[in-house]
Amino acid sequence: MNLQLEPDVAFGVDPDLGVTAAVADDRPFLDEVLRKHHFRYSSTLDLYLLPGDTPHNTAVRTVARASRDFQNVGLSVAADPCIMLPPPIPTPDRVPVRQALPGQSLTALTGELHELRRSADVADVLEQILDEHHGVVGDLEEFVDTAAVWCERLGTPNGRELGVHLRTIAHHVAFLGDQLVTAQLDLAVMPDLTPDNAPPLAEVPLPARHEIPSVTHTARSRAALASSPNRPAPAGGPEPPDATVRAQAPPPSTRRSR
């Protein structure tokens, strides 16, 4: 097997230049693809550059799409992982800069659910979107709050009205986070295990929104009474019939969304 030590195209990121691309030679196809994705060639630097005002998420998607175009025709691509790191979130003067971290992909977490069998494992995945520092629920709440401030900064009646509306939405997001924490704690103590003969998750149709059932009192009671590391079964008490397949649940998390 022949290993190609130098890629046909390499993507990187520079603190002053932003996202850049370098090519191995002057093949027209390389130039054509990069220009299609809004890179512009700098003869002074011998590099392709994205416009300086390109938002971070747009730049990441652009590199991914250009890379896919190159790979589809058999070309090799290298990319600096730092391209994925978002810039710091602006803060007021004399307030420490908050360094942003790459967030969890909600799509990837949804994909993880298809491989899980234990309720406790689903709870672990759900906890990732509730993480206080870089969970998507808290990030969404902060995003909506920031959008509200942006609208209020317009100083117009419409801006103030929309700002109030967005702040209400942010409260709903916070409430959603609280409800998800409750669901995550319930999942963490449930002993349930998906049967081996259950159909693949991808083949089970999602319920219509208006048909999603609420959690019943019976289900909550069963979860509350299930044994866990923090609440072992009573000594000498009857063992439930599914004890042989019971998954050991981790201790419930005390972290909450922002």
Side-chain angles (χ1 to χ4, degrees):
M1 181 174 66
N2 294 324
L3 296 178
Q4 186 170 347
L5 298 180
E6 291 190 7
D8 295 299
V9 184
F11 293 98
V13 60
D14 182 271
D16 300 318
L17 302 176
V19 175
T20 64
V23 295
D25 51 55
D26 59 357
R27 277 172 286 177
F29 178 76
L30 303 179
D31 179 84
E32 177 186 336
V33 171
L34 289 172
R35 290 186 182 277
K36 182 183 79 170
H37 291 285
H38 309 297
F39 282 88
R40 294 295 177 262
Y41 180 69
S42 168
S43 57
T44 305
L45 301 171
D46 192 23
L47 291 172
Y48 287 84
L49 310 175
L50 278 179
D53 58 353
T54 303
H56 169 73
N57 287 348
T58 301
V60 171
R61 288 195 298 268
T62 298
V63 170
R65 290 167 180 164
S67 298
R68 188 162 54 244
D69 285 351
F70 289 127
Q71 291 170 339
N72 284 343
V73 295
L75 299 177
S76 61
V77 179
D80 185 344
C82 290
I83 292 174
M84 298 296 297
L85 294 175
I89 297 174
T91 58
D93 292 339
R94 294 181 297 278
V95 174
V97 174
R98 177 188 163 194
Q99 293 292 333
L101 298 174
Q104 295 280 1
S105 165
L106 196 55
T107 302
L109 291 176
T110 302
E112 285 186 31
L113 295 180
H114 289 252
E115 307 300 325
L116 302 179
R117 297 186 60 222
R118 301 192 313 152
S119 300
D121 293 334
V122 178
D124 288 342
V125 173
L126 186 54
E127 185 177 7
Q128 294 183 54
I129 74 169
L130 298 168
D131 184 272
E132 182 179 0
H133 299 290
H134 38 86
V136 295
V137 174
D139 286 347
L140 177 59
E141 184 183 350
E142 182 176 8
F143 174 84
V144 177
D145 271 332
T146 303
V149 172
W150 189 95
C151 291
E152 293 167 350
R153 194 178 56 170
L154 295 173
T156 61
N158 287 340
R160 287 189 290 270
E161 181 180 356
L162 186 53
V164 170
H165 181 56
L166 285 169
R167 289 191 184 278
T168 301
I169 294 174
H171 285 301
H172 285 307
V173 173
F175 176 75
L176 169 64
D178 290 339
Q179 297 303 302
L180 287 173
V181 167
T182 300
Q184 188 265 335
L185 294 175
D186 286 346
L187 279 165
V189 298
M190 284 171 57
D192 298 337
L193 190 73
T194 304
D196 290 332
N197 61 350
L201 189 57
E203 297 179 5
V204 180
L206 297 177
R209 289 295 176 90
H210 64 279
E211 294 176 355
I212 295 179
S214 60
V215 178
T216 64
H217 176 73
T218 302
R220 285 193 176 277
S221 298
R222 185 161 62 89
L225 293 175
S227 66
S228 73
N230 288 348
R231 186 170 49 248
E239 209 169 36
D242 62 345
T244 57
V245 296
R246 174 169 299 167
Q248 190 74 313
S253 168
T254 57
R255 287 181 290 178
R256 300 180 68 83
S257 60
R258 284 191 290 267

